[in-house]
Amino acid sequence: MAFLSGDQALDAKIQEWLEWDRNDRTRNEIQQLVDSKNVTELHTRLMSRIEFGTAGMRSRMAAGNSMMNDLTIIQATQGLTKYLLDTCPNAKSMGVVIGYDARHNSKRWSELTSTVLVSQGIPVYVFSRVCPTPYVPFGVTHYGTACGIMITASHNPKEDNGYKVYWSNGAQIIPPVDKGISKGIRENLKPWDNSWNTDLLTSNLCKDPYSEIYQKYNECIRDLTTSKDINKDSPLFTYTAMHGVGYHYIQEAFRVSGFRELIAVKEQVEPDPEFPTVKYPNPEEGKGALLLSMQTADKNNSKVILANDPDADRLAIAEKLPNGEWKIFTGNEIGALLGCWCWETFRQQHPEVPASDVYMLASTVSSKILQSIGSVEGFNFVETLTGFKWMGNKSVQLMKEGKTVLFAFEEAIGFMVGTKVLDKDGISAAVTAAELVFQLHRSGSSLNQQLERIYEKYGHHLSNNSYFICHDKNVIESMFDHLRNFNGQGKYPTSCGPYKIRHVRDLTGAGFDSSKPGNIPELPTSSSQMITFTFENGCVSTLRTSGTEPKIKYYTEHCPDKSTGMDRDEALRELNDIVDNIITHFFQPEKRGLQPRAD
């Protein structure tokens, strides 16, 4: 069949898509682009494939090889299935856990995913209703399955969806598993005979894990609580699910933990894939995302807000200050609060366990507050690459060595309390935060006051993190290339404005770390862009690309040595000036057309 493009390769891809796609809507979408002779869009949609990496897949929902749709879901699952059968001899007895959030197409894609696996004789535990992302890794370890798959785009815009994979250890996949699955996808692009046949879901290979996982997960939540018998006297908490799946599940978690019923932000507690009340369904975005929560809390004289993102794996916290303003805590601040609380409660419950056998973890772009606490209290701190896939797998390693992993966090409001879920979990984190708030309330204190006490004891760790939006990969690449060949000098910058740089660490490609022997970094390298600058004054700044969004992020932390005599306000002013210089000299947003964060 001849097509309009005059490009044989593109014509072949068009023909292939129209033959393989059995979804009338997306098939017609490509046909309409053909009929309108939109060669540019056809090339964008069909000539490049959506990448499968350690984060799985995440993209806009639309027709084409570069988008999330029925066909790319089937292809991804065929590749995963082939890799499972090749590397896991017991896959057909172990099975796979499959969950999905409330976004458009999520339920259908969980069904297509299940169909592909069942067609090859692999049993599935597929949830019958929307569930939080943490339920999938919990299910993997509970049932001992070969892997788990969650259909979600977390806090991305409503146009997006995703496909997230956990391995048999309950943690997100890391290399070389992602490479093996990606190879399997490329070698199994044509849909297998029964890959579209959802009638297979009536097979006895399909089981619904909802009731059992719901019960077992909440038993673990109950065991996590330290003051269940008196939690009924806690202050009122306001809760938003951000139009996601969290409300049903956090209600039960709070009930089994003995807490009073949450005050729900009624406009946002029911799942709605349109996310009608927020521009971005991400509580990390600040006051814009939490405005309705603040209004609800004020009406009910509630002083603390707990907010999950749409798949309930993240947690934001806000507290009403005495001056009437709301303080939204950063991920680093929540990490300090929860980490310190986990240590205090563990020490009370297990005084016999040596501190040297206890570990906490954080990603390299997150605050080093846990390291400072550990240096005083005696427990160990481990820094990993960005993402819970690294912290989850490191936790597995430590547990195999007989160590106790208490807590892990990343600055993007992700928290892992204990090891029943080897990933960030916004529900268990919310219950833990509520107990901390209650204990502070009983002593006449607050989260903000507790945070200041932590900083006074362990040192101020001041952060200034944000991002720029950039949809052009070439612009992003040129920016990082410029940092590696700063002002054409063939080397990394030695200063940023008036601030001298002591060390540079580049975890992209071959890697570089001027602070290590032979300039060889200790952390693993990857193809993702990430450069860290350590300044002479102790400030540390990391610039990196996001793996799931069109963002260039920056993370800065200043923890000045007490010998400098610098107080908190002086350190904060210096930090903010460093950030201004980083934006001016390193990002150059006007020159590169970068869009700053809206809030």
Side-chain angles (χ1 to χ4, degrees):
M1 179 178 179
F3 283 95
L4 64 112
S5 71
D7 181 333
Q8 287 187 335
L10 179 57
D11 286 353
K13 289 296 182 185
I14 294 170
Q15 178 71 37
E16 184 180 83
W17 185 273
L18 295 177
E19 287 180 1
W20 289 355
D21 188 10
R22 295 188 189 178
N23 182 306
D24 289 341
R25 183 183 59 78
T26 49
R27 193 175 186 278
N28 289 337
E29 201 175 317
I30 295 298
Q31 185 63 59
Q32 288 170 9
L33 292 172
V34 172
D35 294 342
S36 63
K37 302 187 185 322
N38 193 338
V39 177
T40 301
E41 185 64 17
L42 284 166
H43 197 280
T44 299
R45 298 282 192 97
L46 295 173
M47 293 308 290
S48 61
R49 288 202 61 78
I50 183 173
E51 293 182 5
F52 187 97
T54 53
M57 304 187 302
R58 197 180 293 188
S59 186
R60 183 162 60 91
M61 292 178 278
N65 295 322
S66 61
M67 306 292 177
M68 293 291 298
N69 50 67
D70 285 8
L71 184 54
T72 53
I73 286 286
I74 285 174
Q75 291 168 331
T77 309
Q78 289 180 171
L80 171 60
T81 300
K82 181 65 165 60
Y83 184 75
L84 265 183
L85 293 173
D86 288 347
T87 61
C88 182
N90 299 319
K92 290 188 177 182
S93 60
M94 296 171 70
V96 174
V97 176
I98 301 168
Y100 61 96
D101 69 6
R103 286 176 180 266
H104 292 298
N105 296 310
S106 288
K107 180 176 175 60
R108 173 170 174 76
W109 291 345
S110 75
E111 293 169 350
L112 287 173
T113 298
S114 301
T115 297
V116 172
L117 288 157
V118 169
S119 76
Q120 303 304 304
I122 298 176
V124 296
Y125 299 88
V126 56
F127 279 85
S128 59
R129 60 183 292 171
V130 296
C131 71
T133 289
Y135 269 46
V136 170
F138 183 88
V140 169
T141 53
H142 175 74
Y143 289 117
T145 62
C147 73
I149 302 166
M150 180 68 188
I151 308 297
T152 181
S154 190
H155 56 276
N156 274 42
K158 67 179 182 180
E159 295 82 9
D160 292 357
N161 213 327
Y163 184 102
K164 187 175 186 179
V165 180
Y166 297 87
W167 213 232
S168 57
N169 61 6
Q172 292 180 53
I173 58 171
I174 56 174
V177 174
D178 61 318
K179 300 292 191 299
I181 296 171
S182 185
K183 181 174 181 287
I185 294 170
R186 293 193 302 272
E187 294 174 352
N188 293 273
L189 292 175
K190 183 177 180 179
W192 298 335
D193 289 344
N194 278 314
S195 290
W196 291 94
N197 183 13
T198 53
D199 289 343
L200 294 178
L201 297 181
T202 59
S203 163
N204 59 10
L205 291 176
C206 294
K207 297 179 180 178
D208 177 11
Y210 167 73
S211 296
E212 184 173 349
I213 296 302
Y214 185 71
Q215 175 188 341
K216 296 298 183 182
Y217 176 89
N218 283 296
E219 287 176 2
C220 292
I221 289 289
R222 182 191 60 211
D223 294 341
L224 187 67
T225 57
T226 59
S227 53
K228 180 179 181 295
D229 293 340
I230 58 173
N231 283 343
K232 65 181 184 301
D233 298 322
S234 68
L236 291 169
F237 295 99
T238 297
Y239 175 77
T240 176
M242 206 63 65
H243 298 296
V245 304
Y247 185 50
H248 167 71
Y249 296 94
I250 204 165
Q251 278 184 301
E252 180 65 7
F254 267 59
R255 187 191 69 79
V256 301
S257 302
F259 285 104
R260 300 161 69 182
E261 187 173 348
L262 292 157
I263 299 169
V265 181
K266 295 179 179 179
E267 300 93 333
Q268 296 177 335
V269 293
E270 293 301 322
D272 188 337
E274 288 296 310
F275 308 114
T277 67
V278 290
K279 184 176 181 181
Y280 300 108
N282 182 2
E284 191 185 5
E285 291 293 330
K287 288 187 177 180
L290 295 178
L291 183 60
L292 283 174
S293 299
M294 294 173 183
Q295 293 173 353
T296 301
D298 286 339
K299 289 177 183 176
N300 291 275
N301 196 30
S302 169
K303 305 298 184 185
V304 176
I305 294 167
L306 303 172
N308 285 143
D309 65 341
D311 65 328
D313 65 349
R314 285 177 166 84
L315 173 72
I317 302 176
E319 181 180 66
K320 191 74 169 286
L321 300 178
N323 64 4
E325 295 292 318
W326 281 96
K327 175 178 173 61
I328 301 173
F329 293 92
T330 68
N332 285 331
E333 290 171 336
I334 299 171
L337 288 162
L338 295 185
C340 199
W341 173 246
C342 286
W343 172 250
E344 289 177 5
T345 54
F346 179 81
R347 221 56 209 118
Q348 292 168 5
Q349 296 171 332
H350 302 283
E352 76 286 356
V353 178
S356 59
D357 284 342
V358 178
Y359 283 75
M360 294 197 196
L361 300 85
S363 64
T364 187
V365 298
S366 301
S367 171
K368 300 303 179 288
I369 182 63
L370 297 183
Q371 184 177 42
S372 296
I373 298 173
S375 66
V376 174
E377 304 297 339
F379 64 79
N380 301 279
F381 170 76
V382 175
E383 177 186 19
T384 73
L385 283 179
T386 307
F388 262 90
K389 54 182 171 280
W390 302 105
M391 286 183 277
N393 280 280
K394 184 63 178 180
S395 296
V396 171
Q397 176 191 328
L398 290 168
M399 288 189 293
K400 286 180 178 178
E401 297 170 2
K403 308 303 182 182
T404 298
V405 178
L406 274 189
F407 179 68
F409 88 97
E410 62 181 2
E411 57 77 36
I413 59 172
F415 312 98
M416 184 182 92
V417 180
T419 53
K420 294 299 183 181
V421 173
L422 289 166
D423 195 11
K424 54 186 175 291
D425 181 354
I427 297 174
S428 61
V431 171
T432 303
E435 284 212 308
L436 168 59
V437 170
F438 179 36
Q439 294 305 319
L440 292 171
H441 177 78
R442 293 178 70 199
S443 62
S445 188
S446 67
L447 288 172
N448 194 49
Q449 290 171 325
Q450 174 68 0
L451 184 65
E452 287 305 312
R453 282 192 290 269
I454 291 171
Y455 286 156
E456 285 296 326
K457 183 174 182 180
Y458 302 109
H460 284 283
H461 290 63
L462 306 174
S463 299
N464 185 335
N465 304 338
S466 194
Y467 60 81
F468 288 89
I469 295 174
C470 181
H471 295 275
D472 190 332
K473 292 182 179 179
N474 292 326
V475 170
I476 294 173
E477 186 172 341
S478 69
M479 174 185 146
F480 281 90
D481 285 347
H482 177 249
L483 291 174
R484 297 183 180 102
N485 180 24
F486 197 64
N487 292 334
Q489 297 176 3
K491 58 183 180 180
Y492 298 95
T494 56
S495 63
C496 181
Y499 298 99
K500 300 295 183 183
I501 294 171
R502 178 182 299 159
H503 292 299
V504 178
R505 183 184 66 187
D506 189 344
L507 295 180
T508 307
F512 174 85
D513 189 340
S514 65
S515 71
K516 303 299 178 184
N519 296 328
I520 300 172
E522 291 181 349
L523 290 176
T525 60
S526 71
S527 58
S528 300
Q529 302 281 5
M530 183 160 71
I531 303 178
T532 299
F533 301 96
T534 300
F535 291 85
E536 292 284 357
N537 63 5
C539 180
V540 178
S541 177
T542 296
L543 279 59
R544 64 176 283 266
T545 51
S546 169
T548 56
E549 298 169 287
K551 295 177 179 178
I552 313 172
K553 299 184 174 184
Y554 64 84
Y555 312 81
T556 58
E557 182 171 50
H558 200 9
C559 185
D561 192 289
K562 290 185 177 180
S563 64
T564 64
M566 187 179 291
D567 64 23
R568 183 185 187 280
D569 291 340
E570 290 172 326
L572 185 59
R573 282 194 295 271
E574 185 171 69
L575 172 63
N576 291 337
D577 191 51
I578 292 172
V579 169
D580 289 342
N581 276 276
I582 288 171
I583 291 171
T584 299
H585 299 289
F586 291 175
F587 278 93
Q588 300 178 339
E590 292 82 9
K591 175 183 175 181
R592 295 191 169 98
L594 307 180
Q595 180 184 339
R597 176 176 174 171
D599 192 319

